[in-house]
Amino acid sequence: MKKALITGITGQDGSYLTEFLLAKGYEVHGIIRRSSSFNTGRIEHIYKDPHEKGVHLFLHYGDLADTNSLTRLLEKIQPEEVYNLGAQSHVRVSFDVPEYTADISGMGTIRLLEAIRQAKVKARFYQASSSEMYGKVVETPQKETTPFYPRSPYACSKVFSHWATVNYRESFGLFACSGILFNHESPRRGETFVTRKIAKAAAHIKKGLRKELFLGNLEAKRDWGYAKEYVEAMWLMLQQNEPDDYVIATGETHSVQEFLQEAFDYLGLDWEKHVKIDPKYFRPAEVDLLIGDASKAKKKLGWIPQIKFKELVRLMVDAEMKNDEIH
């Protein structure tokens, strides 16, 4: 039975990846931070008492800010695969907490890579890179060879992590891959992210629970895919003969306003009657347009996205209409 270690296991991608790997017959280990409240809502439906016979999901306390905890866990678990999904991942918030963002999303990657090296674990490593690294894009669509132009502390930290991964691959022979994932959404997306905010607000307005939704820049365009499909691409990267970096995207771009209109139209609502623009949601430096070219992933990994924009919006709205819990 293969063992996989996941940082960020309680997040959107971590929960879907956990389900995916368990279905593949893996023993899955996740790193969680100690807090005064539980933050395992996205994996509660699959997490059981680890002492039960046949359970193959285990959670461990640790932190990307603590090298010792990472090294200790790697030595104990001896995973064949390590997926680094942990980060302070909210772009707008990264302007408010830039040092923390750089420490966790940037230095955290170095700590984990170095822990793998020091622990002498023969693990394949996946780094969650981001389309935000392209920032003020220098070519469209963006592919693996497109130069980076980060426009936020979050994006800067991801560029650092991306090149650190390349460096450890080239310097120490580590099987290390980076997935440059463009925006990927689902009903498990955090509630402060714009797609989830829109889906949740549309459902609440339809139910009569609220009347208004406050948003920032409606003109920003993104390449939006379905997170549940994107985690398969992560796994496929680590199954190849040689490590490499891949763009994962749908190849379509849509504005925030298009997402908004699709969600509200689906419920028979007029978004213009409910949406108000709040300057606090604007970024100091905006990323206007992102659209990815995933032809390399299609050719080498055989990965092709199935869920496109309209279906993604509707499945998120449907989930919010059913209830307000994360499933």
Side-chain angles (χ1 to χ4, degrees):
M1 182 180 291
K2 273 190 175 181
K3 295 180 183 178
L5 177 64
I6 304 172
T7 71
I9 193 170
T10 59
Q12 170 189 253
D13 293 4
S15 65
Y16 282 124
L17 180 61
T18 297
E19 290 174 340
F20 180 86
L21 293 176
L22 288 172
K24 290 283 185 184
Y26 279 65
E27 179 177 299
V28 178
H29 295 259
I31 296 178
I32 59 172
R33 288 173 296 171
R34 178 72 178 93
S35 68
S36 59
S37 60
F38 290 108
N39 187 32
T40 55
R42 294 182 180 92
I43 56 174
E44 285 293 344
H45 64 291
I46 50 177
Y47 183 71
K48 299 176 182 178
D49 186 335
H51 298 294
E52 281 188 27
K53 186 177 179 180
V55 174
H56 303 303
L57 172 60
F58 305 92
L59 301 181
H60 309 267
Y61 287 122
D63 201 304
L64 285 170
D66 180 8
T67 305
N68 287 336
S69 70
L70 299 175
T71 305
R72 173 177 49 80
L73 287 171
L74 285 162
E75 290 175 340
K76 175 184 176 182
I77 298 165
Q78 293 289 314
E80 282 85 8
E81 297 174 3
V82 175
Y83 296 86
N84 185 31
L85 311 184
Q88 190 300 102
S89 60
H90 198 288
V91 178
R92 178 62 190 85
V93 172
S94 77
F95 286 100
D96 300 323
V97 287
E99 186 177 336
Y100 174 75
T101 300
D103 187 43
I104 300 303
S105 305
M107 285 301 298
T109 304
I110 282 284
R111 293 186 187 106
L112 186 53
L113 286 165
E114 188 62 15
I116 291 172
R117 191 172 77 89
Q118 294 292 341
K120 295 181 173 58
V121 175
K122 299 295 183 182
R124 295 188 170 196
F125 178 81
Y126 172 83
Q127 167 60 22
S129 288
S130 168
S131 60
E132 287 287 333
M133 299 188 304
Y134 296 120
K136 191 174 181 180
V137 298
V138 298
E139 69 174 350
T140 299
Q142 296 85 53
K143 50 185 181 290
E144 291 82 4
T145 55
T146 302
F148 301 136
Y149 195 143
R151 300 268 282 172
S152 67
Y154 168 77
C156 290
S157 70
K158 283 295 185 179
V159 171
F160 176 85
S161 290
H162 181 87
W163 284 116
T165 302
V166 172
N167 183 251
Y168 271 71
R169 180 169 71 213
E170 295 178 351
S171 300
F172 304 114
L174 186 67
F175 192 109
C177 302
S178 285
I180 308 173
L181 272 57
F182 281 63
N183 291 63
H184 44 292
E185 318 298 318
S186 76
R188 297 181 189 174
R189 190 57 142 150
E191 294 185 18
T192 60
F193 290 82
V194 68
T195 52
R196 181 80 191 283
K197 278 180 69 175
I198 291 171
K200 192 175 186 70
H204 279 190
I205 290 168
K206 183 67 175 180
K207 295 174 183 178
L209 299 176
R210 63 191 286 189
K211 295 181 179 180
E212 296 178 326
L213 168 62
F214 294 90
L215 295 173
N217 181 16
L218 301 186
E219 303 305 315
K221 293 184 177 180
R222 296 290 185 269
D223 185 327
W224 276 306
Y226 185 30
K228 191 173 183 178
E229 295 181 340
Y230 281 40
V231 299
E232 181 181 10
M234 300 176 187
W235 176 78
L236 285 168
M237 291 178 207
L238 298 194
Q239 312 313 307
Q240 304 307 301
N241 292 327
E242 298 294 334
D244 208 345
D245 306 320
Y246 299 87
V247 162
I248 303 299
T250 68
E252 297 180 7
T253 188
H254 297 273
S255 67
V256 173
Q257 184 169 317
E258 287 179 80
F259 196 105
L260 183 62
Q261 183 157 354
E262 182 63 39
F264 276 65
D265 283 354
Y266 182 48
L267 296 180
L269 300 170
D270 181 354
W271 70 267
E272 293 185 278
K273 293 181 179 179
H274 303 280
V275 174
K276 298 187 183 303
I277 304 301
D278 189 333
K280 77 177 181 181
Y281 294 118
F282 280 81
R283 302 180 186 179
E286 185 57 78
V287 173
D288 298 316
L289 168 67
L290 293 174
I291 179 171
D293 177 0
S295 55
K296 180 179 175 180
K298 179 180 179 181
K299 181 180 179 180
K300 293 193 172 184
L301 305 180
W303 182 86
I304 301 172
Q306 302 299 319
I307 302 293
K308 294 300 180 70
F309 180 71
K310 182 173 287 191
E311 189 176 354
L312 173 65
V313 176
R314 293 185 174 192
L315 73 83
M316 290 183 70
V317 172
D318 284 340
E320 297 295 344
M321 287 298 293
K322 287 177 182 178
N323 55 61
D324 296 326
E325 300 298 320
I326 298 174
H327 290 293

